[in-house]
Amino acid sequence: MKLQRKNRLRATALGALAVSGALVLTACGSDDNTGGGTAGAGDKTTAASDVDCGKAKGQLRASGSSAQKNAMDLWIKNYMAACDGVQINYNSSSSGEGIVAFNQGTVAFAGSDSALKPDEVAESKKMCKTGQGINLPMVGGPVAIGFHLEGVDTLVLDAPTLAKIFDSKIKKWNDPAIAKLNDGVELPDKAIQAFHRSEDSGTTQNLGKYLGAAAPSDWKYEAEKKWPAPGGQAASNSSGVAAQVKQVDGAIGYFELSYAKSQGITTVDINTGGAAPVKATSENASKAIAAAKVKGTGKDLALELDYTTKAEGAYPLVLVTYEVVCDTGNKAETLDTLKSFLSYTASDDGQKILTDAGYAPIPAEINTKVRETVGSLS
């Protein structure tokens, strides 16, 4: 019986592989995952050897961060290929909306690009009943600064210059501050059109944390999910910002790297003050995330990132997406499926597929704690 099951899983996964090329074409059409039907850049389906379906059954609903959409697409497709009769629905909206849905009890877990605030933890206790919401770091990666400037293929910016651009203090692409960082590059006398997220976003908050830490004299705003600065143009979700940058000559915006990869958007190299500007890559983001420290207590694994790192090759503008769950008090009807699915996303296979999609796997030392915590959920 075990042999038949194993062969059937392998055949199912291979079948998913055969259609993955067609699926990737639809990846940019929506931020709503209603069953793992789409996948983004680096589309891959594994043999799902790390999937333990256990007692998983029925439907599992989740929502939140659009930064992890392409990772979630891959995970859901692989997991559902291995586990018959299970449907995972992830609504890629925003971190803020995901937390609200979680605390209202309409989803089993939420994706958030920033850890729960104290008031959000307090609110979660009403839903978790016997426990509270905790943060499980599951996806890492660079926040890419994408730009579209006809005739310019490479662009270097630093934190102070980025702060002034997104605060509408630098308005032209040939501004002396930009020219100084790009010696020999012919910058056009063109207006900068800076795009930001229209809804509450953990990606926005991470950009704010970076600018506040690395350019405190030029970025005076608190790091919040809501866009704080005047001016600029708003677009919905990471996919919306990326779409605007791709279409508009003179545009600049911020989004998770996989959106840049899937849409062919050129990204900014960041001058950190180190030996050379640093490109937005999974490998370079991993160097920065590896230095993160766990600041959460108990089962909470919220991380503290160093946005001012000057370490060689470390890309400083990174985010970590957390899956927010109850430590205890999870709904009995979804608990087995929740633990099974998150055990896969935190597995070696689940983390391994992230790099090709433009993400950075969670460092092994931290990920070991994630697996232990997932196993203890009740």
Side-chain angles (χ1 to χ4, degrees):
M1 183 65 71
K2 288 184 178 180
L3 181 59
Q4 291 176 345
R5 172 66 173 164
K6 188 173 182 180
N7 288 337
R8 185 161 60 82
L9 289 182
R10 184 177 293 124
T12 306
L14 289 172
L17 249 181
V19 299
S20 64
L23 290 170
V24 74
L25 298 176
T26 67
C28 302
S30 171
D31 270 0
D32 182 12
N33 185 305
T34 55
T38 62
D43 181 26
K44 285 197 173 186
T45 303
T46 72
S49 61
D50 275 5
V51 173
D52 181 359
C53 301
K55 298 178 181 179
K57 62 178 186 249
Q59 186 177 85
L60 187 71
R61 291 186 177 276
S63 69
S65 164
S66 64
Q68 70 169 356
K69 175 190 183 311
N70 293 332
M72 195 58 70
D73 284 351
L74 289 170
W75 282 334
I76 289 173
K77 185 169 52 154
N78 288 344
Y79 183 83
M80 288 175 57
C83 299
D84 290 342
V86 180
Q87 185 175 21
I88 312 293
N89 291 74
Y90 182 80
N91 177 28
S92 174
S93 50
S94 69
S95 297
E97 293 173 80
I99 296 301
V100 169
F102 175 75
N103 281 338
Q104 290 177 343
T106 60
V107 295
F109 72 90
S112 178
D113 304 325
S114 56
L116 293 169
K117 293 181 177 180
D119 61 319
E120 293 171 332
V121 173
E123 186 69 19
S124 74
K125 293 179 180 180
K126 300 175 185 176
M127 195 277 291
C128 297
K129 293 185 173 36
T130 60
Q132 65 180 45
I134 58 171
N135 305 281
L136 301 179
M138 200 69 73
V139 182
V143 178
I145 304 295
F147 72 96
H148 179 177
L149 198 56
E150 295 295 337
V152 178
D153 297 324
T154 61
L155 186 70
V156 175
L157 296 174
D158 58 12
T161 307
L162 281 168
K164 292 171 187 173
I165 287 173
F166 282 110
D167 199 19
S168 302
K169 300 290 176 57
I170 291 179
K171 300 182 179 182
K172 288 289 190 76
W173 279 110
N174 61 348
D175 187 278
I178 300 177
K180 184 178 179 180
L181 293 164
N182 294 274
D183 187 36
V185 177
E186 189 173 341
L187 297 166
D189 182 14
K190 184 184 293 291
I192 295 174
Q193 300 195 52
F195 286 89
H196 58 264
R197 292 281 289 275
S198 59
E199 72 288 339
D200 286 3
S201 160
T203 311
T204 293
Q205 188 170 35
N206 277 276
L207 175 64
K209 288 178 180 179
Y210 164 71
L211 295 176
S217 298
D218 299 293
W219 191 258
K220 301 293 188 179
Y221 306 101
E222 292 294 323
E224 300 290 348
K225 293 187 177 77
K226 184 177 180 62
W227 180 256
Q233 301 181 60
S236 179
N237 299 314
S238 293
S239 60
V241 175
Q244 290 297 319
V245 172
K246 183 175 179 63
Q247 294 168 11
V248 178
D249 186 17
I252 188 170
Y254 59 94
F255 32 80
E256 188 274 324
L257 181 61
S258 70
Y259 289 93
K261 292 181 69 173
S262 65
Q263 298 198 39
I265 298 171
T266 308
T267 61
V268 168
D269 297 343
I270 293 184
N271 183 336
T272 64
V278 185
K279 293 186 178 298
T281 67
S282 298
E283 180 182 5
N284 291 344
S286 291
K287 293 176 183 177
I289 296 173
K293 305 296 183 185
V294 175
K295 66 177 181 179
T297 58
K299 293 183 179 180
D300 184 76
L301 298 176
L303 302 178
E304 183 174 358
L305 299 168
D306 180 8
Y307 295 99
T308 62
T309 180
K310 293 180 175 60
E312 191 66 27
Y315 184 82
L317 180 44
V318 296
L319 63 75
V320 169
T321 300
Y322 300 94
E323 312 311 339
V324 176
V325 298
C326 297
D327 54 358
T328 64
N330 291 282
K331 294 180 180 178
E333 60 268 29
T334 56
L335 177 60
D336 288 334
T337 307
L338 174 68
K339 293 174 69 172
S340 172
F341 178 65
L342 294 184
S343 292
Y344 166 61
T345 64
S347 70
D348 288 340
D349 278 359
Q351 290 291 301
K352 190 183 302 180
I353 65 174
L354 293 179
T355 302
D356 288 340
Y359 296 95
I362 298 300
E365 182 179 348
I366 297 171
N367 197 45
T368 297
K369 297 177 181 178
V370 173
R371 295 181 195 178
E372 292 172 353
T373 303
V374 170
S376 71
L377 298 180
S378 62

